[in-house]
Amino acid sequence: MKTKITLKELSKLLNVSVSTVSKALNDSPEISPKTAERVKELAALHNYKPNPVAVNLKKSKTGTIGVVIPNISNSFFARVLSGMEAEAQKHDLQVITYISNESLDREKQICELLTSGFVDGVLIAVSEETQRKKEYDHLFNLVEYEIPVVLYDRINVPLPADKVGVDDENSFYDATKFFRAKGIHDIGVVSAIHHLGVGKSRIKGHERAMPDGEELKLAVSSKADVLKQKIKDLISTKKIEALLCTDFESAIMSARIAYEENIKIPEQLKIIGYISKEVAEFLTPSISYVEQHPQEVGEKAMQLLSDRLEGKATAGRYSEKVIATNLVHLESTSF
Amino acid sequence: MKTKITLKELSKLLNVSVSTVSKALNDSPEISPKTAERVKELAALHNYKPNPVAVNLKKSKTGTIGVVIPNISNSFFARVLSGMEAEAQKHDLQVITYISNESLDREKQICELLTSGFVDGVLIAVSEETQRKKEYDHLFNLVEYEIPVVLYDRINVPLPADKVGVDDENSFYDATKFFRAKGIHDIGVVSAIHHLGVGKSRIKGHERAMPDGEELKLAVSSKADVLKQKIKDLISTKKIEALLCTDFESAIMSARIAYEENIKIPEQLKIIGYISKEVAEFLTPSISYVEQHPQEVGEKAMQLLSDRLEGKATAGRYSEKVIATNLVHLESTSF
DNA sequence: CTGAAAGCGCTTACAG
DNA sequence: CTGAAAGCGCTTACAG
């Protein structure tokens, strides 16, 4: 069993002071090359590693970042986390994860915890409930405590903070334009998240690509059975030719209903949805999707935070980055 | 802008010593009820929270747990993490996540970092590469540093540590028995992870439920195109009636090939697979799956670790928990 | 170039 | 019941 050696013990073995050992290991120019070498040698021999807790206390920082995730089972967020972790590694930062489960209360609890000094900064995608109720006091609280915050994905929050979002609006603008260019004009939009910022943006993008004044064909509801009925109405009764789905649930549901109603995809109905690559590719038929580059969202968010922690960002000025999306065409949009 | 108040500042305002304040806030019986109240009142007013870094240094612990995840895009692991986080919360532990991306090298790096004192304990599912090469020195290293380790999910590692696994073997034993009871005897097994411990266990469970000496009908390969060919052979040429799939990829691929070969599910071919609920339910047809209860795996793993940290576990004796699975029957196994 | 001292923000034996 | 002191393991002005 190995036991961790401390600076003090090292200094005793070397017959020099603790200060000297510390400086030597931190490559201080004050130390003579000779002793520096002696010290480093012994440190390596004993596999010395500074106690990070002590270093952090001394430096008044924690070296860790708090990441708040609304729902980790959503593969988008899982991949965002992966990007954050990769970027954190580059900056020697540790990532502490907190899962809000889309609950405002839990999110408040987490923010409360976060103000007590566990982390140097926070990356957060606010919960659904938070967005719905527009309660942001707990976030402002973080800012008041001078804890740098970066909002990611769900950035439609009036908070003085850096933000990294997905280009939701343009994704559906592009998708709509794509269909129209192919001569398809009866385009429906399906959404189970129309009440959230990202859902609204996507629908807005679609609207922007449609002729002025033309009524939109929407099937929206956060209740599964209601949504199901509305989709059925859209594709069976209204004979829509193409569907844009703002989320996993509505995309899968649309494909399913088409199957049940004996409407062939893509021959009679084309679909583009927000689904993760992993699932989209494997469906039968495979569903064309909007690639959101979650990894990049995570990397960028961590990068902005790290810049701010290192003083590379101007105080009081916040940047807002939008990660471009692109359409990946699979079977559901083949012509 | 609020700034964090310290014990010292508090003591100055109260005209008592730092020790007294500390004891009062920690409910020490040494302190008179009167001063205790005075102290607590002012602390509450100033929203005092002890600096966790200082507390941890004093107590020679970190209050954090390192969780190593092979692949966070795998929804099984995402849900395990969710369970860990929930349990950690109960014990006032923070969760630091590290993603190995199924790489042995990255895993070694992470373990190296972990030995330098960032965490009090480690929860790890070893990477695919680690399992394949059977290189466990970096894990033994953790143990030598007296950092408690709990292995989860991928527990087929000869390490003196607590372990929490999924009952892989029985899941396929049960599934096979289920088919046989229904009069189906031509059962095939498809696997893209036959080289991993969990894959082997699942296949073994199937074998155990088959009559002695009967040759197994396997389609296994970690290469997509090879596996595809083998599946096709199994269901088209060999006329298998039911398929057990050890993983997401092989399950989805099997369903896809059945579709392409015009073999009807479930009429001509039944399928049971290891797929997450979220996807299984939405497929057309929906695929019956093995529910693994990942949340529970995560909770249990964190619980074992917490027990050990709190001295509730006997040194040198390790427990191994197996979380039972159950079959969820959807369309692909309807009769 | 080396080391003694102060201090990061706490906790806890010990003395009074 | 209260407080002075030591100490957790470091870093860093400052003195020599």
Side-chain angles (χ1 to χ4, degrees):
Chain A
M1 179 216 106
K2 295 177 199 167
T3 169
K4 290 204 60 177
I5 194 168
T6 65
L7 267 196
K8 206 204 275 182
E9 292 162 338
L10 225 41
S11 75
K12 209 164 280 174
L13 291 173
L14 288 158
N15 265 320
V16 293
S17 75
V18 172
S19 342
T20 303
V21 179
S22 172
K23 286 174 192 163
L25 294 176
N26 288 305
D27 290 315
S28 159
E30 289 181 37
I31 303 299
S32 78
K34 245 197 259 175
T35 35
E37 201 185 339
R38 266 187 70 219
V39 171
K40 287 185 177 178
E41 214 161 86
L42 194 74
L45 183 67
H46 287 274
N47 203 10
Y48 170 78
K49 289 173 206 157
N51 178 332
V53 178
V55 174
N56 289 339
L57 177 60
K58 186 67 208 170
K59 299 199 168 161
S60 302
K61 53 157 201 160
T62 66
T64 66
I65 303 300
V67 172
V68 186
I69 300 168
N71 168 11
I72 189 71
S73 296
N74 181 331
S75 103
F76 172 79
F77 288 120
R79 290 166 67 196
V80 168
L81 175 62
S82 169
M84 290 173 174
E85 209 263 348
E87 185 68 23
Q89 205 189 316
K90 291 188 197 161
H91 303 276
D92 283 321
L93 292 166
Q94 315 299 311
V95 172
I96 302 194
T97 40
Y98 299 93
I99 300 173
S100 71
N101 281 323
E102 304 284 13
S103 148
L104 173 57
D105 276 349
R106 178 73 189 119
E107 194 175 291
K108 282 182 184 169
Q109 264 183 42
I110 294 168
C111 286
E112 178 70 17
L113 195 68
L114 257 18
T115 58
S116 49
F118 281 102
V119 300
D120 294 337
V122 172
L123 302 177
I124 182 172
V126 297
S127 78
E128 258 188 57
E129 198 182 348
T130 309
Q131 286 187 289
R132 225 179 323 111
K133 300 192 175 163
K134 298 195 198 307
E135 259 193 67
Y136 308 124
D137 287 359
H138 53 299
L139 301 176
F140 279 95
N141 204 22
L142 288 175
V143 173
E144 279 198 351
Y145 270 100
E146 295 215 297
I147 299 175
V149 176
V150 177
L151 298 174
Y152 66 91
D153 187 43
R154 300 174 178 178
I155 62 178
N156 188 16
V157 175
L159 190 79
D162 293 317
K163 298 174 189 179
V164 180
V166 168
D167 198 356
D168 293 294
E169 193 175 322
N170 277 329
S171 68
F172 268 27
Y173 177 85
D174 292 345
T176 305
K177 283 288 186 196
F178 166 79
F179 282 136
R180 294 183 60 83
K182 293 280 189 181
I184 294 184
H185 293 87
D186 277 345
I187 306 170
V189 176
V190 186
S191 183
I193 57 165
H194 54 291
H195 53 294
L196 299 187
V198 295
K200 284 181 195 157
S201 296
R202 290 167 195 174
I203 297 173
K204 193 167 155 199
H206 165 70
E207 185 172 9
R208 199 155 52 77
M210 294 294 283
D212 280 350
E214 183 164 330
E215 204 183 335
L216 301 187
K217 286 144 190 135
L218 301 181
V220 303
S221 174
S222 41
K223 286 182 200 148
D225 47 341
V226 177
L227 185 60
K228 205 162 193 169
Q229 194 49 54
K230 288 188 176 174
I231 295 173
K232 201 179 282 185
D233 185 51
L234 220 50
I235 64 180
S236 289
T237 318
K238 302 229 175 96
K239 309 280 184 203
I240 286 299
E241 297 167 273
L243 239 34
L244 301 178
C245 306
T246 65
D247 52 287
F248 179 77
E249 197 182 342
S250 61
I252 294 284
M253 200 180 270
S254 300
R256 177 81 192 202
I257 294 170
Y259 173 80
E260 287 169 356
E261 299 286 308
N262 230 326
I263 292 168
K264 290 259 181 265
I265 298 173
E267 293 81 359
Q268 296 164 272
L269 180 71
K270 320 249 182 236
I271 293 187
I272 291 178
Y274 265 86
I275 316 190
S276 72
K277 171 191 169 76
E278 289 89 13
V279 177
E281 287 178 345
F282 284 116
L283 293 169
T284 313
S286 56
I287 301 286
S288 304
Y289 62 95
V290 176
E291 172 63 70
Q292 303 172 275
H293 309 288
Q295 190 100 9
E296 264 179 57
V297 172
E299 282 167 16
K300 192 73 206 169
M302 185 59 80
Q303 208 177 297
L304 285 180
L305 185 57
S306 157
D307 282 354
R308 202 158 280 279
L309 291 175
E310 289 169 10
K312 288 184 196 159
T314 359
R317 290 211 48 201
Y318 301 99
S319 53
E320 184 167 332
K321 292 276 168 192
V322 172
I323 306 294
T325 63
N326 58 282
L327 294 175
V328 177
H329 289 288
L330 299 176
E331 293 167 353
S332 73
T333 49
S334 70
F335 281 83
Chain B
M1 177 215 108
K2 296 175 199 169
T3 167
K4 292 206 58 178
I5 193 167
T6 66
L7 267 196
K8 207 205 273 183
E9 291 161 340
L10 225 40
S11 75
K12 210 165 277 173
L13 290 174
L14 288 160
N15 265 319
V16 293
S17 74
V18 172
S19 343
T20 303
V21 179
S22 172
K23 286 175 193 163
L25 294 175
N26 287 305
D27 289 316
S28 159
E30 290 182 38
I31 302 298
S32 80
K34 245 198 259 175
T35 35
E37 201 185 339
R38 266 186 72 217
V39 171
K40 286 186 177 179
E41 213 161 87
L42 194 75
L45 184 68
H46 287 273
N47 203 10
Y48 170 78
K49 289 172 207 156
N51 178 332
V53 178
V55 175
N56 290 339
L57 177 60
K58 187 67 208 170
K59 299 199 169 162
S60 304
K61 53 156 203 162
T62 65
T64 66
I65 302 300
V67 172
V68 186
I69 299 168
N71 169 12
I72 189 71
S73 297
N74 180 332
S75 103
F76 171 79
F77 288 119
R79 290 167 67 196
V80 168
L81 175 62
S82 169
M84 290 173 174
E85 209 263 347
E87 186 68 22
Q89 205 190 316
K90 292 188 197 161
H91 303 274
D92 283 322
L93 292 166
Q94 316 298 311
V95 172
I96 302 193
T97 41
Y98 300 92
I99 301 172
S100 70
N101 281 323
E102 304 285 11
S103 147
L104 172 58
D105 276 349
R106 177 73 188 118
E107 194 175 292
K108 282 183 184 169
Q109 264 183 42
I110 293 168
C111 288
E112 178 71 17
L113 196 67
L114 256 19
T115 59
S116 49
F118 281 103
V119 299
D120 294 337
V122 172
L123 302 177
I124 182 170
V126 297
S127 78
E128 259 188 55
E129 198 182 349
T130 308
Q131 286 187 290
R132 226 179 321 110
K133 300 193 176 162
K134 298 194 199 305
E135 258 193 68
Y136 308 125
D137 286 359
H138 53 298
L139 300 176
F140 279 95
N141 203 23
L142 287 176
V143 174
E144 279 198 351
Y145 270 101
E146 295 215 296
I147 299 174
V149 175
V150 176
L151 298 174
Y152 67 92
D153 188 44
R154 300 173 178 178
I155 62 177
N156 187 17
V157 175
L159 190 78
D162 293 317
K163 298 173 188 180
V164 179
V166 168
D167 197 355
D168 293 294
E169 191 175 323
N170 277 329
S171 69
F172 268 26
Y173 177 84
D174 292 344
T176 305
K177 283 289 186 194
F178 166 80
F179 281 137
R180 294 184 60 84
K182 292 279 190 182
I184 293 184
H185 294 85
D186 277 344
I187 306 169
V189 176
V190 186
S191 182
I193 57 165
H194 54 291
H195 53 294
L196 298 186
V198 296
K200 284 180 195 159
S201 296
R202 291 167 195 173
I203 296 173
K204 192 167 155 200
H206 165 69
E207 185 171 10
R208 200 154 53 77
M210 294 294 282
D212 281 350
E214 183 164 330
E215 205 184 334
L216 302 186
K217 287 145 189 135
L218 302 181
V220 304
S221 173
S222 42
K223 285 182 201 151
D225 47 340
V226 177
L227 186 60
K228 206 163 193 167
Q229 195 48 55
K230 289 188 176 174
I231 296 173
K232 200 178 283 185
D233 185 49
L234 221 49
I235 65 181
S236 290
T237 318
K238 302 229 176 97
K239 306 282 185 202
I240 285 299
E241 297 167 274
L243 239 33
L244 300 178
C245 307
T246 65
D247 52 287
F248 180 77
E249 197 182 342
S250 61
I252 295 286
M253 200 180 272
S254 300
R256 176 82 192 202
I257 293 169
Y259 173 79
E260 287 169 358
E261 299 285 308
N262 229 325
I263 292 169
K264 289 262 180 263
I265 300 172
E267 293 80 358
Q268 297 165 272
L269 180 70
K270 321 253 181 232
I271 292 186
I272 292 177
Y274 265 85
I275 317 190
S276 72
K277 172 190 167 75
E278 289 89 14
V279 177
E281 286 178 346
F282 285 116
L283 293 169
T284 313
S286 57
I287 300 286
S288 304
Y289 61 94
V290 176
E291 173 62 70
Q292 301 172 275
H293 310 288
Q295 191 99 8
E296 264 180 56
V297 172
E299 281 168 17
K300 192 73 205 170
M302 185 59 80
Q303 208 175 298
L304 285 179
L305 185 57
S306 157
D307 281 354
R308 203 159 280 279
L309 291 175
E310 290 170 10
K312 289 184 196 160
T314 359
R317 289 210 50 199
Y318 301 100
S319 53
E320 183 167 332
K321 292 277 168 191
V322 172
I323 306 295
T325 63
N326 59 281
L327 294 176
V328 177
H329 287 288
L330 299 176
E331 294 167 354
S332 73
T333 48
S334 69
F335 281 84

